Amino acid sequence: MKEFAGRTAFVTGGANGIGLGLARALLAQGCKVAIADIREESIDQALKSLDNQMVMGVPLDVASRTGFAEAADLVEESFGPVSLLFNNAGINLFQTIDDSSYDDWDWVMGVNLHGVINGVMTFVPRMKANGLGGHVVNTASMASFLCGPMPGIYNTTKFAVRGMSESLRYSLAPHGIGVSVLCPGLVKSHIFASDDVRPDDLKAGAKPVNTEMVGRLEQVHQVGMEPDVIAARVLGAIRVNRFHIFSHPEFKDELREVFDETIAAFQDYPEDPGYAQRIGFEQGRRDGYKAARSGNLGEG
């Protein structure tokens, strides 16, 4: 997809951080932009900063399927069919898996994974039916490749978003719809304040908010990459239909080390019974996967 002008974009988590950076970049390219966010006061502030351009705000809890459908109807009634979808909303919980509750899982999964699923399931059928092509960008994280002891649930969701995006890329290519996964590192955003938007019905299993840690994280995020820098790199990747969007080049060497360690874990075992038959089956799958990765997908 080469041209942005005249298209309608829907951006979740659009009132701050990467989402707001994307909104600014898309508006500059002549798009009509809907910014969806759970924080209504942040939407109001964002709209003021965008100076009455072709932009609208939509209050949305991305974990809500009905909320997504209503938002889609509202935006398309005002701006026309959405052909650029940015599933960008995300929250974080800085604690280990073994120290978490079911409520913790339901909250983080609901936003970071189900929010992306809901965006795809709401808009992709419409995009296919409209026949305008387009592009879907799902925000994962470098945490979709790199793990530590925490935040474990966040890692889980981001790994899932990455895998989901790759499969979706292959299935949407025949429809002229590209798919990318954005894997940023540290960003200047409000994700450190995720507890502020935790639903009341998912707080029963929550630990008390560590305000000291939140304060430290706020300071750390102040040195994160500027959202406008990331947004420019995202639009550049969309233009050439690139799948992986690594906005933060400082992770390249670390990721190479991780991949090298992964390959080194393979062992040269002797052939077991059934090996030859398995290889025959796997060769067909391997050829198809290689063809898809090599770019025999068309452009979105």
Side-chain angles (χ1 to χ4, degrees):
M1 194 194 76
K2 304 297 185 183
E3 297 298 329
F4 291 94
R7 290 184 178 270
T8 298
F10 189 94
V11 185
T12 68
N16 78 90
I18 294 174
L20 187 53
L22 287 168
R24 285 191 288 261
L26 290 162
L27 288 166
Q29 293 296 318
C31 292
K32 295 168 284 186
V33 180
I35 55 174
D37 206 287
I38 197 170
R39 296 177 171 96
E40 293 191 40
E41 67 280 3
S42 296
I43 292 176
D44 293 339
Q45 293 172 7
L47 292 176
K48 290 177 183 177
S49 74
L50 295 171
D51 196 27
N52 296 319
Q53 300 179 69
M54 288 294 290
V55 60
M56 64 185 292
V58 185
L60 174 65
D61 176 359
V62 296
S64 169
R65 294 176 182 175
T66 56
F68 243 115
E70 291 168 359
D73 290 342
L74 178 64
V75 170
E76 296 198 330
E77 181 180 348
S78 301
F79 281 172
V82 168
S83 58
L84 295 170
L85 173 62
F86 298 84
N87 289 309
N88 171 72
I91 49 91
N92 207 341
L93 182 64
F94 294 91
Q95 62 190 41
T96 62
I97 288 173
D98 53 288
D99 212 20
S100 297
S101 68
Y102 278 119
D103 280 348
D104 295 330
W105 277 99
D106 289 343
W107 176 43
V108 182
M109 293 280 284
V111 177
N112 291 2
L113 178 55
H114 294 166
V116 177
I117 293 170
N118 293 340
V120 167
M121 296 298 290
T122 299
F123 280 106
V124 164
R126 299 176 186 225
M127 293 169 71
K128 289 167 63 177
N130 290 329
L132 300 174
H135 210 93
V136 177
V137 177
N138 296 327
T139 299
S141 168
M142 286 309 303
S144 68
F145 288 95
L146 307 173
C147 290
M150 62 181 191
I153 303 177
Y154 183 84
N155 279 127
T156 302
T157 62
K158 296 304 185 179
F159 268 70
V161 167
R162 177 164 64 89
M164 170 190 174
S165 300
E166 185 170 355
S167 181
L168 186 67
R169 176 174 172 84
Y170 303 144
S171 63
L172 291 187
H175 302 278
I177 301 171
V179 178
S180 298
V181 61
L182 172 59
C183 300
L186 194 62
V187 180
K188 188 176 287 186
S189 74
H190 295 161
I191 196 169
F192 60 85
S194 295
D195 286 295
D196 293 348
V197 295
R198 183 165 179 155
D200 290 338
D201 61 347
L202 293 177
K203 289 182 177 178
K207 297 184 181 302
V209 176
N210 186 333
T211 55
E212 183 179 344
M213 175 181 284
V214 171
R216 290 198 301 270
L217 290 171
E218 181 176 7
Q219 294 301 312
V220 169
H221 281 83
Q222 289 306 306
V223 300
M225 185 176 285
E226 291 288 346
D228 290 343
V229 174
I230 298 172
R233 294 174 182 180
V234 171
L235 266 58
I238 292 174
R239 285 192 176 94
V240 297
N241 196 20
R242 186 186 314 130
F243 176 61
H244 289 106
I245 307 176
F246 292 117
S247 54
H248 291 55
E250 58 264 33
F251 288 95
K252 183 177 181 179
D253 289 341
E254 184 179 5
L255 201 55
R256 180 183 289 113
E257 290 176 4
V258 171
F259 287 157
D260 287 346
E261 290 172 7
T262 301
I263 295 301
F266 280 88
Q267 303 295 306
D268 293 325
Y269 297 116
E271 291 188 12
D272 60 278
Y275 176 83
Q277 291 86 343
R278 288 203 315 275
I279 291 302
F281 167 79
E282 293 294 352
Q283 188 60 52
R285 179 203 55 76
R286 183 181 301 165
D287 291 344
Y289 187 37
K290 183 177 181 180
R293 294 198 316 277
S294 69
N296 297 329
L297 299 168
E299 285 195 343

